[in-house]
């Protein structure tokens, strides 16, 4: 796959992962962190789409449950930690998980300075603020498919109230997609929300990644219970879809007014509720 069809960073990523076994994908990401190549994907700020969502839909994204408990959020494959820190600034207790020790260390450093003096990009207004009610943020080194890290985040049978995925599913080899969906189902409580900023939607799913093209994949995995690879049917445009075989019900689906430039105006925002 040549640079004529991919931005240079993506060409480098595809080359790095080309021919790498599925079980060696995690070490492939750690190697990129250790060779100081996180700029291949790092965008330097939290997802503005998620900032807008938690600001504008306060009923759904209240950081408290009906019985007054602070909600627990997870950001798997969190990279430098922009989204976990932003969610903590909006009142959630957040866990950022990444397979790379270097990545986790950078995220901890970022959080330490950002929580002291939060920048305007954490808020819909764009203005720097010091919010009154800030949750906690913790970064854990771990593999999302393993369970060893869960003890650090969850007590006993506890589960997460919210999971945010941006550029994590698209970073995974397609053979891991079904496992990703099952894992999301295990980690979220009933009624818990999986929020996905779907990217890249413009890329032909048959082309190599990462990032792997995901058009129709979230819906296939989460609502239909498919493997996210074969027989992906055309995705319904309606936000909500009727009862299907998957572990999740789609409750919102729209093109966000604000997202990243490199989504080329094609990023979609989906919210799935755990059945
Ligand atoms: C494309 S990067 C995206 C990072 C971050 N979401 C962002 O927007 O900057 C994918 C991240 O997932 C991490 N990762 C890959 N496989 C993982 C796994 N199995 N468990 C946890 N983290 C993983 C990588 O180390 C990397 O930081």
């Amino acid at each position: 796959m040549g640079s004529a069809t991919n931005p240079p960073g993506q060409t480098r990523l595809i080359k790095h992962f080309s021919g790498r076994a599925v079980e060696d994908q995690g070490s492939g990401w750690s190697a990129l962190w250790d060779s100081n190549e996180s700029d291949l994907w790092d965008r330097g700020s939290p997802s503005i789409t998620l900032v807008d969502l938690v600001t504008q839909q306060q009923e759904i994204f209240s950081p408290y449950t009906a019985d007054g408990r602070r909600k627990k959020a997870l950001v798997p494959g969190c990279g430098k930690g922009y989204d976990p820190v932003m969610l903590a600034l909006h009142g959630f207790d957040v866990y950022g998980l990444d397979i790379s020790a270097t990545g986790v260390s950078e995220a901890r450093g970022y959080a330490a300075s950002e929580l002291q003096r939060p920048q305007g990009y954490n808020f819909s207004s764009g203005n720097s603020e010091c919010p009154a009610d800030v949750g906690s943020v913790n970064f854990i080194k771990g593999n999302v498919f393993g369970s060893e890290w869960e003890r650090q985040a969850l007590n006993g049978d506890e589960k997460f109230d919210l999971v945010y995925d941006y550029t994590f599913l698209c970073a995974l080899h397609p053979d891991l997609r079904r496992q990703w969906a099952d894992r999301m189902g295990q980690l979220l409580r009933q009624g818990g929300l999986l929020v996905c900023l779907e990217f890249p939607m413009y890329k032909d799913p048959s082309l190599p990644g990462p990032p792997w093209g995901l058009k129709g994949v979230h819906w296939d995995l989460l609502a239909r219970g498919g493997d996210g690879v074969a027989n992906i049917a055309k995705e319904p445009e309606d936000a909500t879809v009727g009862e299907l075989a998957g572990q999740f019900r789609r409750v919102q689906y729209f093109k966000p007014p604000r997202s990243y430039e490199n989504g080329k105006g094609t990023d979609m925002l989906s919210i799935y509720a755990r059945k």
Side-chain angles (χ1 to χ4, degrees):
M1 170 115 212
S3 55
T5 45
N6 284 308
Q10 291 189 15
T11 304
R12 164 78 183 116
L13 277 177
I14 291 163
K15 197 164 160 230
H16 178 77
F17 283 96
S18 167
R20 190 176 284 264
V22 173
E23 57 276 19
D24 294 336
Q25 299 279 308
S27 59
W29 286 100
S30 293
L32 289 171
W33 276 104
D34 294 343
S35 56
N36 201 21
E37 290 180 271
S38 62
D39 59 328
L40 292 174
W41 62 84
D42 189 272
R43 300 199 172 90
S45 61
S47 311
I48 190 66
T49 308
L50 185 62
V51 177
D52 286 346
L53 202 65
V54 296
T55 309
Q56 290 161 9
Q57 298 201 27
Q58 286 188 354
E59 234 167 73
I60 298 182
F61 290 99
S62 161
Y64 292 99
T65 59
D67 55 5
R69 175 179 61 76
R70 209 185 272 277
K71 289 182 188 166
K72 269 191 176 186
L74 173 71
V75 181
C78 66
K80 282 199 186 161
Y82 308 108
D83 292 318
V85 169
M86 182 277 289
L87 284 171
L89 288 167
H90 286 266
F92 293 86
D93 280 342
V94 195
Y95 291 83
L97 179 72
D98 205 285
I99 203 160
S100 159
T102 307
V104 165
S105 157
E106 292 199 21
R108 286 181 182 145
Y110 170 75
S113 71
E114 195 63 23
L115 289 172
Q116 282 205 338
R117 276 179 303 279
Q119 300 180 61
Y121 59 37
N122 290 292
F123 309 100
S124 251
S125 66
N127 298 327
S128 201
E129 296 174 26
C130 281
D133 187 27
V134 175
S136 62
V137 62
N138 283 286
F139 291 98
I140 308 178
K141 179 202 170 303
N143 184 341
V144 78
F145 299 114
S147 56
E148 69 292 343
W149 58 270
E150 277 177 61
R151 279 192 311 275
Q152 294 177 56
L154 300 170
N155 299 314
D157 293 339
E158 203 185 10
K159 296 192 175 204
F160 290 101
D161 301 288
L162 178 73
V163 175
Y164 178 61
D165 187 299
Y166 175 62
T167 60
F168 180 54
L169 177 59
C170 77
L172 298 176
H173 189 281
D175 288 358
L176 295 170
R177 284 180 188 162
R178 186 62 248 160
Q179 277 185 58
W180 170 86
D182 290 341
R183 200 69 183 114
M184 296 300 111
Q186 284 166 7
L187 291 167
L188 276 159
R189 68 168 173 76
Q190 195 179 14
L193 299 180
L194 172 57
V195 177
C196 302
L197 180 54
E198 300 186 2
F199 163 90
M201 295 295 105
Y202 57 83
K203 184 169 175 178
D204 180 342
S206 68
L207 294 175
W212 298 88
L214 292 182
K215 196 160 179 51
V217 168
H218 295 81
W219 180 74
D220 184 70
L221 288 167
L222 300 167
R224 282 182 80 207
D227 65 8
V229 180
N231 306 318
I232 296 183
K234 188 170 167 5
E235 184 165 15
E237 284 172 19
D238 283 356
T240 54
V241 284
E243 280 306 308
L244 299 173
Q247 296 177 64
F248 289 83
R249 207 166 6 93
R250 192 167 73 185
V251 293
Q252 291 193 34
Y253 182 58
F254 59 91
K255 190 185 288 294
R258 299 202 287 173
S259 191
Y260 288 105
E261 181 64 23
N262 67 347
K264 296 183 180 165
T266 62
D267 286 356
M268 293 297 288
L269 192 285
S270 58
I271 305 181
Y272 287 86
R274 177 73 169 98
K275 286 182 190 167

